[in-house]
C-alpha cells in the first residue's frame, strides 16, 4: 500500500483550465501560489509557454521551440496566492479560447545559493514535493551543479535562455543518454550534454552549448519521485489496445510521456481535460498544434494503462518514458483514492 505524507496533491500540483478574454484577468482556483506555470491554448495553434518564479513573471520559454527566452509584459504578469494574472497576449489569453495550465509549487522567488557543485546554482526547492527550479551560468567545459533535491533526481529538463534545444533526462536513461523536448527525434548518447549520471547532490554536464556554454544562463526543472504523489519512470509497450499497465501508486492527474524508441511526439494527458476513461484529449508538447482528440490511456486508482495499438505511447517492445503527478492511493490520513 503506497502511503504518502501528501494528503492533498492539489497543494503542490494542479491542472487549471480557463477561457481567454483578450484583456486582463486573474486565474484563481489553482490552490496555491504557483512557482512554475506551463500554459497552452487548447483551441489555437500557438506556442506553449513556461514561466517560473526564479526567472520572474513576464519571462517565458517555449517547450516546443528552441527560441530564446522572451520578456513580454502582457503575458503572465504575476504569480498570485491562488493562481496567476494575465495580460491580453493571444498565446495565454486569446478571446473565447479555452486554455490549459499546469502548475507546480516550489519555494517562490526566494532562491537559495547552492554550492554543492563545481558551478554555483540558484534554487527554489520544495522539500515535500521534491521539485527544484534551478538557474545557473555555463562554464564552457565539463562541470556540475547542485540540484537541491533530497536525493538523486528522477527527471530533469534543461534549457539555455538563449536560442537552444531543450534536453530531458529520465531515471531509466544510461549515462550520457538524453532526448530533446522540442523534437520528435529518438533518444541518443551525447557526452557533451549529460556527462554522467546525476547523484544525490549534483547534475553533471559536458561542455555542449545547449547546457553549458561559457557565460550563458540556463534554467533547469528537476523532480525526485515522491511516494503516492509523483513518479518518473518508463514501461515497455506491447502494441495492443489492452496495453501495458504502469503502476504509480496513485491516481494520476497528469501524465507526460514519450516513446523514446521511435520518431514520436511528446504527449500531455490529464484528468481535468479528460474526466473519464478513455483519456482522449491530448496536447503535443513539442508542437504548437491545438489539442487533438484521440484515444490514449485509462487512468486508474493506482496507475495508468495504455489503450491504443500504435507507437504513440505503446509501440511493441519500445521504451516509453513518463512523468506523472496525482492523488495518493492512501495518504497518512488513511483516506483511500478511488477509481474513476
Amino acid at each position: 500500500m503506497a502511503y504518502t505524507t501528501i494528503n492533498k496533491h492539489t497543494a503542490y500540483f494542479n491542472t487549471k483550465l480557463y477561457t481567454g478574454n483578450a484583456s486582463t484577468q486573474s486565474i484563481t482556483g489553482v490552490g496555491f501560489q504557483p512557482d512554475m506555470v506551463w500554459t497552452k491554448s487548447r483551441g489555437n495553434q500557438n506556442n506553449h509557454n513556461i514561466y517560473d518564479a526564479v526567472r520572474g513573471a513576464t519571462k517565458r520559454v517555449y517547450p516546443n521551440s528552441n527560441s530564446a527566452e522572451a520578456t513580454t509584459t502582457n503575458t503572465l504578469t504575476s504569480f498570485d496566492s491562488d493562481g496567476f494574472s494575465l495580460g491580453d497576449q493571444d498565446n495565454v489569453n486569446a478571446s473565447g479560447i479555452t486554455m490549459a495550465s499546469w502548475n507546480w509549487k516550489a519555494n517562490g522567488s526566494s532562491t537559495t545559493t547552492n554550492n554543492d557543485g563545481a558551478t554555483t546554482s540558484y534554487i527554489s526547492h520544495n522539500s515535500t514535493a521534491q521539485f527544484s527550479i534551478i538557474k545557473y551560468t555555463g562554464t564552457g567545459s565539463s562541470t556540475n551543479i547542485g540540484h537541491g533535491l533530497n536525493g538523486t533526481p528522477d527527471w530533469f529538463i534543461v534549457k539555455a535562455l538563449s536560442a537552444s534545444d531543450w534536453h530531458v533526462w529520465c531515471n531509466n536513461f544510461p549515462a550520457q543518454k538524453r532526448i530533446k523536448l522540442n523534437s520528435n527525434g529518438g533518444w541518443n548518447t551525447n557526452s557533451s550534454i549529460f556527462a554522467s549520471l546525476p547523484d544525490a547532490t549534483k547534475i553533471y554536464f559536458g561542455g555542449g552549448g545547449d547546457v553549458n556554454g561559457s557565460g550563458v544562463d540556463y534554467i533547469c526543472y528537476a523532480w525526485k519521485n515522491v511516494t503516492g504523489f509523483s513518479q518518473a519512470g518508463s514501461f515497455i509497450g506491447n502494441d495492443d489496445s489492452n496495453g501495458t499497465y504502469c503502476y504509480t501508486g496513485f491516481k494520476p492527474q497528469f501524465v507526460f510521456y514519450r516513446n523514446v524508441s521511435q520518431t514520436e511526439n511528446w504527449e500531455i494527458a490529464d484528468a481535468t481535460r479528460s474526466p473519464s476513461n478513455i483519456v482522449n484529449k491530448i496536447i503535443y508538447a513539442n508542437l504548437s498544434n491545438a489539442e487533438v482528440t484521440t484515444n490514449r490511456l485509462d487512468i486508474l486508482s493506482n496507475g495508468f494503462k495504455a489503450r491504443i495499438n500504435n507507437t504513440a505511447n505503446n509501440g511493441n517492445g519500445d521504451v516509453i518514458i513518463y512523468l506523472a503527478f496525482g492523488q495518493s492511493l492512501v495518504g497518512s490520513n488513511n483516506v483511500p483514492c478511488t477509481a474513476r
Side-chain angles (χ1 to χ4, degrees):
M1 192 68 72
Y3 287 88
T4 180
T5 56
I6 296 180
N7 298 315
K8 187 179 180 183
H9 71 276
T10 52
Y12 301 95
F13 169 81
N14 207 356
T15 300
K16 176 65 181 177
L17 307 181
Y18 64 93
T19 301
N21 67 2
S23 181
T24 60
Q25 62 170 320
S26 293
I27 308 304
T28 60
V30 170
F32 54 89
Q33 180 168 315
D35 299 310
M36 175 181 169
V37 179
W38 181 333
T39 69
K40 177 64 178 80
S41 167
R42 298 175 66 188
N44 283 352
Q45 182 170 332
N46 279 330
N47 284 328
H48 295 250
N49 307 270
I50 292 181
Y51 304 86
D52 65 69
V54 172
R55 291 179 300 120
T58 75
K59 296 180 182 297
R60 58 180 175 173
V61 282
Y62 312 103
N64 58 294
S65 170
N66 63 1
S67 298
E69 175 190 73
T71 300
T72 315
T73 57
N74 61 341
T75 55
L76 188 147
T77 56
S78 66
F79 300 98
D80 305 331
S81 61
D82 188 31
F84 50 90
S85 293
L86 299 170
D88 61 3
Q89 210 274 339
D90 276 358
N91 268 20
V92 297
N93 199 16
S95 178
I97 300 299
T98 303
M99 308 288 299
S101 73
W102 303 285
N103 304 268
W104 287 264
K105 181 177 177 61
N107 193 36
S109 59
S110 179
T111 59
T112 300
T113 301
N114 184 296
N115 290 309
D116 290 339
T119 297
T120 298
S121 57
Y122 303 92
I123 297 173
S124 178
H125 168 240
N126 189 288
S127 59
T128 303
Q130 287 302 313
F131 169 49
S132 285
I133 303 171
I134 309 160
K135 189 175 181 181
Y136 67 97
T137 301
T139 64
S141 60
S142 295
T143 192
N144 54 78
I145 61 166
H147 51 66
L149 298 169
N150 298 337
T152 304
D154 290 289
W155 184 288
F156 56 84
I157 305 171
V158 182
K159 170 74 172 74
L161 300 184
S162 58
S164 73
D165 291 320
W166 294 74
H167 297 274
V168 179
W169 182 88
C170 179
N171 57 16
N172 76 325
F173 283 14
Q176 302 181 358
K177 280 280 190 182
R178 58 80 192 256
I179 190 166
K180 294 180 181 180
L181 174 57
N182 56 299
S183 168
N184 64 357
W187 61 347
N188 59 68
T189 299
N190 188 329
S191 60
S192 71
I193 302 299
F194 302 139
S196 59
L197 295 174
D199 61 30
T201 56
K202 296 180 285 294
I203 295 172
Y204 297 84
F205 299 117
D210 280 0
V211 296
N212 190 25
S214 179
V216 177
D217 290 333
Y218 295 85
I219 197 70
C220 176
Y221 306 112
W223 291 267
K224 182 180 182 298
N225 291 349
V226 176
T227 300
F229 167 69
S230 64
Q231 184 169 289
S234 65
F235 64 91
I236 304 299
N238 67 5
D239 197 26
D240 195 296
S241 58
N242 183 20
T244 302
Y245 162 70
C246 185
Y247 175 80
T248 60
F250 54 85
K251 179 166 65 176
Q253 303 298 312
F254 170 96
V255 186
F256 179 36
Y257 57 88
R258 169 71 206 279
N259 183 337
V260 299
S261 301
Q262 304 287 343
T263 301
E264 289 291 342
N265 293 316
W266 289 88
E267 299 189 351
I268 301 173
D270 64 67
T272 304
R273 290 179 298 122
S274 296
S276 60
N277 291 329
I278 297 172
V279 172
N280 66 353
K281 300 297 183 184
I282 301 300
I283 290 176
Y284 299 123
N286 58 300
L287 300 175
S288 61
N289 296 30
E291 177 184 84
V292 298
T293 301
T294 179
N295 290 347
R296 281 297 186 257
L297 53 90
D298 280 347
I299 288 177
L300 310 172
S301 64
N302 54 3
F304 62 92
K305 182 180 180 66
R307 290 295 305 276
I308 186 169
N309 56 340
N310 71 16
T311 59
N313 70 334
N314 195 30
N316 189 34
D318 291 344
V319 177
I320 292 89
I321 62 170
Y322 67 89
L323 176 65
F325 299 88
Q327 182 179 348
S328 60
L329 184 59
V330 178
S332 60
N333 58 357
N334 294 319
V335 175
C337 175
T338 58
R340 341 200 278 172

